[in-house]
Each structure stands twice: as C-alpha cells, then as structure tokens.
C-alpha cells in the first residue's frame, strides 16, 4: 500500500519574504485599464517617454546585420567594459579598467549581483528612506536586513548623521541612490564623502546607484561616489544604467563598477543566471557611451521644462504640496492633507481613488516607504501632464 501524499505548491522562505515590485503592480492596473480602451493619464511609469536616439538604435541594427548575435564574454564585451571604465576615468578620475566593470541585463541585475556577492545572513544594510522599491527586497533576498535612515522632507537629502544614527556592529553596507527615485533628492558631495569614509572605517561597502545621474536641474550638481574610488577601492561600488539617460529601458543594459574581487563574484553569479547581456544591446550601449547623441540633451531639456511647469501646478491643487526636486523625473508630493475625506485614508486609497475617479495613475508612496506621499512621473508629454493635473484637481474637489 502506498501512502498518498497530497501534492502542494511549496515555495521557499527566500521568495515568500519578498514582495512583487509595487510599482509594477500599479503599472499593471493602469495597463489593464488602458488595454480595455480606457483613457488613463499614466503618471506611473519610471521610464522615459522618448525613443532611443537614432544613432544608438542604428548601432544595434548594425550589430544584427554583422552577425553579432552570439554569446559574448560573461561580464560583457571587452570593448564595452573598456568604454565604461574610460568614462569613469575621464569624468571622476577613477583608476579603473575593464576588470573593474561588469555589464548585465539592466542596472537592476547588477545591483542584485553585487548585493548577493556582499550581503550575508544577518547583515544589516542601511538605506535612506524614502527609497527605490527594489533595494530592501534585494537585501532581504540575500538574507540581510534593510535598516532605514529617515531623510527630512521636503528635500529628502541623505545626510551622514542620518546614516550614522542607525549604524550598528552588524552594518555591512549602505546604499545611496542619487538622484533618488522617488524623491529626486541629490546628495551633497560633502555628505557623501563623510558616508564613504564612515563605511571604509568600519569595513562596510557603499553601493552607489546613479541611474538618474544625467537628470539634475536648476544648478544642482551630481557627484558620483566614484570620485572617491581611488582612496577607497574596497568600499565604493557604483551601479549605473543605460535605461534612463539614453531612453533604453527595453534594451536591458546596466553595469557595475568596483573592486575586481566584487566584479568577479558578480560575474560568477551572472554566469549561472543570464550569462551575458544581449550582444545587440551591448553594441548599442557602446555607441551611446562613445559618441554624444544630441537627443540626450534634448530629452534633458524637455524634462526640465516639464518639471518647471508641473511643480507649481501640483502645488496649486488644494491638499497637495511638493518641493522642486533637484533630480530624476519624479515629483513626490505630500498628499496626507486629503486623508480622511471620502474613502481616502492613505497613499494606496489615494492612488486608487485617482485611478477610479480621475483615470490618473500615480504610485502610492507606501511602496517607497512613505505613506504620506505619492510619486508622479513626468516622463510623459506636456499635454498629458496638463490633462492629468486638471483631472486630479477635479477629482479632489469632489472629496
Ligand atoms: N535604480 C533605480 C533607482 C531605478 O529607478 C531603476 C529603474 O527604475 C534601476 C536602478 C534599474 O534600471 P534598469 O534595470 O532598467 O537598468
């Protein structure tokens, strides 16, 4: 007689401990409505509304025509890694070569590879809050514990004091994202330097995500942690992406730059997951990093104009309040003055109300660690921004 075991779907603690990316969930909801033909003004997406510059796409097409459609070296082609290293040498004086670089399928993959390579069970990793949604989950997936360092509204700039205040003997590293998604905060060079020195003195890493490096406005200055790489090569690791600067989200190409031992570890993980990023995307990225495309500055100019229009327009709506962020392409207005009206009681119900009543999609701030705010992406046309603002205003007036 055989004992019958009822089959069940068993999932690991590793995966049940993390959430599906909440920004993806909102995009899915909005996409579902759009798919049904509903006219939604979508302020959700974290991706440029522009096409990839023509010269970059052409390089991708040429790669296909030339038969560059095979596996490449695991960490990316030598030509691409040389170009990335040269860019960091030129811009920040970092003494790095191709051995310091790994290219992968988006910045997200390289963040994951680096975190899996550096964070052990029981380690704590400090993340300024509000934060980009994937940082805490990636840390948790690696067995670590995210520890949040509160930043102060309205600018939300991370400071050395706020990081040091939550440090402990279990601190393994700090993740700084500047310019920040969702707040647009740009860290000051002096604070970043102090944080790097603090990390170095306690043998912790500083993982610097500069995905939005190109998007700073109105005199704000972006400074990369790579400026301090030569003094602290064991400490500073940078992740960057082609996605936002070059409007290349769908090409899936990002990279990490850091100590060769960390890069080798990340490559080892990558060799067992995706092997190498797409050969075609690498050819396109090489073109983007080697020759200036005029569209990149045009996109920056467009974001700058939208931001200049949108900040006062949002502040003119009763109950919404936001600062003019120094970077990225998001506003992070405080909306809690509306809580308690109708069914709106938190950032989730606020976003749901706007989707139902105004057909406007925004991302609830709770996804980023603040329930008092929502994220509005201005990676959309001026016409849609105007339409969205009118709709939000009308919907909130009804409350
Ligand atoms: N880092 C931040 C802060 C982001 O907002 C994103 C994307 O939204 C990424 C990294 C990853 O970008 P990708 O994987 O497209 O390179």
């Amino acid at each position: 007689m055989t004992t019958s075991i009822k089959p069940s779907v068993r999932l690991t603690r590793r995966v049940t401990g993390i959430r599906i990316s909440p920004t993806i969930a909102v995009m899915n909801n909005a996409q579902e409505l759009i798919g049904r033909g509903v006219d939604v003004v979508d302020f959700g997406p974290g991706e440029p509304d522009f096409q990839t510059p023509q010269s970059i796409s052409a390089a991708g097409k040429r790669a296909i025509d030339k038969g560059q459609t095979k596996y490449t070296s695991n960490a990316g082609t030598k030509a691409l890694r040389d170009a990335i290293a040269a860019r960091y040498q030129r811009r920040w004086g970092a003494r790095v070569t191709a051995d310091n670089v790994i290219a992968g399928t988006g910045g997200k993959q390289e963040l994951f590879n680096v975190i899996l390579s550096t964070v052990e069970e029981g380690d704590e990793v400090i993340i300024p809050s509000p934060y980009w949604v994937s940082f805490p989950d990636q840390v948790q997936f690696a067995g670590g514990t995210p520890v949040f360092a509160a930043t102060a509204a309205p600018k939300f700039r991370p400071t050395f004091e706020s990081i040091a205040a939550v440090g402990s003997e279990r601190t393994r590293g700090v993740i700084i994202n500047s310019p920040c998604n969702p707040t647009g905060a740009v860290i000051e060079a002096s604070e970043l330097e102090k944080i790097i020195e603090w990390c170095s003195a306690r043998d912790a890493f500083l993982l610097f995500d500069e995905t939005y490096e190109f998007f700073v406005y109105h005199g704000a200055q972006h400074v990369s942690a790579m400026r301090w790489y030569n003094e602290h090569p064991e400490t500073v690791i940078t992740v960057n992406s082609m996605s936002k600067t070059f409007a290349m989200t769908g090409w899936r190409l990002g990279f990490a730059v850091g100590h060769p031992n960390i890069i080798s570890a990340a490559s080892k993980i990558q060799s067992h997951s995706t092997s190498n990023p797409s050969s075609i995307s690498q050819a396109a990225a090489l073109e983007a990093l080697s020759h200036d495309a005029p569209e990149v500055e045009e996109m920056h100019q467009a974001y700058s104009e939208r931001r200049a229009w949108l900040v006062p327009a949002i502040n003119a709506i009763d109950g919404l309040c936001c600062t003019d962020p120094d970077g990225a392409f998001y506003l992070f207005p405080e909306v809690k003055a509306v809580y308690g009206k109708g069914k709106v009681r938190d950032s989730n119900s606020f976003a749901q109300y706007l989707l139902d009543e105004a057909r406007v999609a925004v991302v609830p701030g709770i996804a980023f660690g603040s329930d008092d705010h929502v994220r509005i992406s201005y990676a959309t046309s001026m016409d849609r921004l105007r339409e969205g603002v009118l709709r939000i205003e009308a919907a909130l007036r009804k409350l």
Side-chain angles (χ1 to χ4, degrees):
M1 201 179 86
T2 50
T3 34
S4 83
I5 295 173
K6 196 171 178 304
S8 63
V9 176
R10 280 190 291 156
L11 300 174
T12 60
R13 253 187 304 135
R14 206 180 302 125
V15 74
T16 49
I18 62 170
R19 319 162 291 172
I20 178 163
S21 168
T23 52
I24 287 176
V26 169
M27 276 174 79
N28 287 349
N29 279 349
Q31 286 313 315
E32 208 246 323
L33 284 174
I34 292 165
R36 285 201 271 122
V38 179
D39 170 29
V40 174
V41 176
D42 197 357
F43 290 159
E47 72 175 335
D49 55 315
F50 298 103
Q51 290 300 321
T52 302
Q54 195 275 331
S55 56
I56 300 173
S57 293
K61 289 180 195 162
R62 272 199 308 278
I64 298 175
D65 291 340
K66 285 196 284 183
Q68 291 175 358
T69 52
K70 312 282 187 194
Y71 291 133
T72 70
S73 323
N74 166 216
T77 62
K78 174 79 165 41
L80 177 60
R81 287 181 293 128
D82 277 342
I84 293 167
R87 196 171 159 95
Y88 276 96
Q89 279 178 24
R90 196 172 58 243
R91 294 184 62 202
W92 304 109
R95 286 192 292 276
V96 288
T97 68
D99 292 342
N100 298 90
V101 179
I102 177 172
T105 308
K108 212 179 231 183
Q109 184 184 23
E110 290 321 325
L111 284 167
F112 219 164
N113 286 340
V114 167
I115 288 171
L116 287 172
S117 301
T118 52
V119 176
E120 298 270 24
E121 289 287 330
D123 286 344
E124 292 181 353
V125 177
I126 300 174
I127 304 170
S129 176
Y131 46 79
W132 179 50
V133 291
S134 290
F135 295 138
D137 289 275
Q138 291 195 356
V139 166
Q140 238 163 295
F141 195 84
T145 305
V147 173
F148 299 112
T151 57
K155 286 287 187 186
F156 297 107
R157 285 193 191 118
T159 59
F160 165 66
E161 266 77 29
S162 65
I163 301 290
V166 293
S168 81
E169 71 283 356
R170 286 162 62 176
T171 301
R172 176 68 191 96
V174 177
I175 301 177
I176 299 285
N177 169 215
S178 179
C180 172
N181 173 5
T183 62
V186 174
I187 194 168
E188 283 176 13
S190 56
E191 297 297 316
L192 183 55
E193 182 174 21
K194 279 189 274 183
I195 295 168
I196 291 171
E197 282 168 357
W198 182 81
C199 287
S200 178
R202 53 204 299 136
D203 197 17
F205 64 77
L206 185 286
L207 177 52
F208 191 72
D209 177 341
E210 55 181 348
T211 291
Y212 296 87
E213 63 167 339
F214 192 65
F215 303 106
V216 288
Y217 311 101
H218 215 254
Q221 293 284 326
H222 170 74
V223 60
S224 173
M226 289 307 281
R227 185 164 130 189
W228 293 277
Y229 180 79
N230 298 343
E231 296 93 309
H232 303 287
E234 296 84 6
T235 306
V236 174
I237 314 152
T238 292
V239 167
N240 207 332
S241 169
M242 305 304 293
S243 288
K244 319 286 172 165
T245 304
F246 300 99
M248 290 178 71
T249 45
W251 297 80
R252 308 307 302 126
L253 207 296
F255 47 89
V257 187
H259 194 283
N261 292 1
I262 296 175
I263 298 303
S264 306
S267 305
K268 212 166 19 167
I269 295 171
Q270 187 158 295
S271 76
H272 295 298
S273 55
T274 54
S275 299
N276 58 264
S278 147
S279 56
I280 299 151
S281 302
Q282 291 188 65
L286 179 59
E287 165 66 29
L289 297 175
S290 311
H291 303 103
D292 288 340
E295 294 96 321
V296 172
E297 185 44 45
E298 287 161 20
M299 292 189 271
H300 179 258
Q301 186 58 32
Y303 289 126
S304 186
E305 285 163 14
R306 293 170 187 179
R307 170 185 166 282
W309 180 84
L310 187 60
V311 171
I314 290 292
N315 278 320
I317 300 176
D318 224 17
L320 305 197
C321 165
C322 76
T323 183
D324 52 337
D326 291 329
F329 44 63
Y330 309 106
L331 300 192
F332 201 56
E334 189 179 289
V335 297
K336 71 172 180 201
V338 178
Y339 297 176
K341 296 186 182 169
K343 285 190 186 148
V344 177
R345 54 192 184 283
D346 53 22
S347 63
N348 255 320
S349 49
F350 181 92
Q352 192 59 52
Y353 176 74
L354 285 193
L355 196 57
D356 295 342
E357 186 62 37
R359 298 300 192 208
V360 173
V362 299
V363 186
I366 190 72
F368 310 99
S370 172
D371 211 13
D372 294 343
H373 300 81
V374 295
R375 190 189 77 177
I376 293 177
S377 163
Y378 54 88
T380 189
S381 69
M382 275 305 293
D383 281 352
R384 293 309 271 170
L385 289 176
R386 283 199 191 91
E387 172 67 20
V389 164
L390 286 176
R391 290 189 192 187
I392 295 174
E393 211 169 15
L396 294 186
R397 231 182 296 114
K398 283 192 203 157
L399 277 171

